[in-house]
Amino acid sequence: LPESIGDLTKLMLLIISHNKLLSLPESICNMSGLSKLSIRENKLQTLPDSIGNCSELSHINMESNLINSLPDSICSLSALQTLDMNSNKLSNLPDKISSVISLTELYFGDNKFTSIPD
């Protein structure tokens, strides 16, 4: 994806599923109007560190990637309701994930967890 995608600040829905993306540009975090992001079934290993800047994000589907950790900034998404992380390489969640009080659906099956997160 081009860095210029971040210029689409009024975009509310971004579906880039079923591709072979290895990374997302950091500029995606400039999309202040983004409320739903679907990046499922790619080859992503990480999310941009400043994903927490997308303050309107309410739904993230990152199912079936290669993500092995989440940036701490994901915990500052105060509108986040659904976080689907099924089928990745995660072994832990950020310590402050419980501070996302708007979260109503959390999926993390088929990962590398050895215990249920606190």
Side-chain angles (χ1 to χ4, degrees), residues 39-59:
I39 52 176
R40 65 188 306 254
E41 297 190 34
N42 279 286
K43 306 273 186 214
L44 299 169
Q45 295 182 7
T46 61
L47 294 177
D49 286 335
S50 54
I51 192 75
N53 292 348
C54 297
S55 60
E56 298 299 314
L57 261 179
S58 61
H59 296 81

Side-chain angles (χ1 to χ4, degrees), residues 22-80:
L22 300 175
S23 64
L24 295 174
E26 192 70 33
S27 68
I28 204 167
C29 302
N30 298 335
M31 302 172 85
S32 54
L34 192 64
S35 64
K36 294 183 180 180
L37 175 63
S38 181
I39 52 176
R40 65 188 306 254
E41 297 190 34
N42 279 286
K43 306 273 186 214
L44 299 169
Q45 295 182 7
T46 61
L47 294 177
D49 286 335
S50 54
I51 192 75
N53 292 348
C54 297
S55 60
E56 298 299 314
L57 261 179
S58 61
H59 296 81
I60 303 174
N61 186 338
M62 63 180 92
E63 179 183 358
S64 298
N65 277 285
L66 303 171
I67 297 172
N68 56 27
S69 67
L70 297 175
D72 288 337
S73 71
I74 204 163
C75 299
S76 63
L77 294 172
S78 59
L80 190 62

Side-chain angles (χ1 to χ4, degrees), residues 12-26:
M12 297 172 64
L13 171 64
L14 179 60
I15 300 172
I16 45 180
S17 302
H18 303 278
N19 286 289
K20 294 180 182 175
L21 296 174
L22 300 175
S23 64
L24 295 174
E26 192 70 33

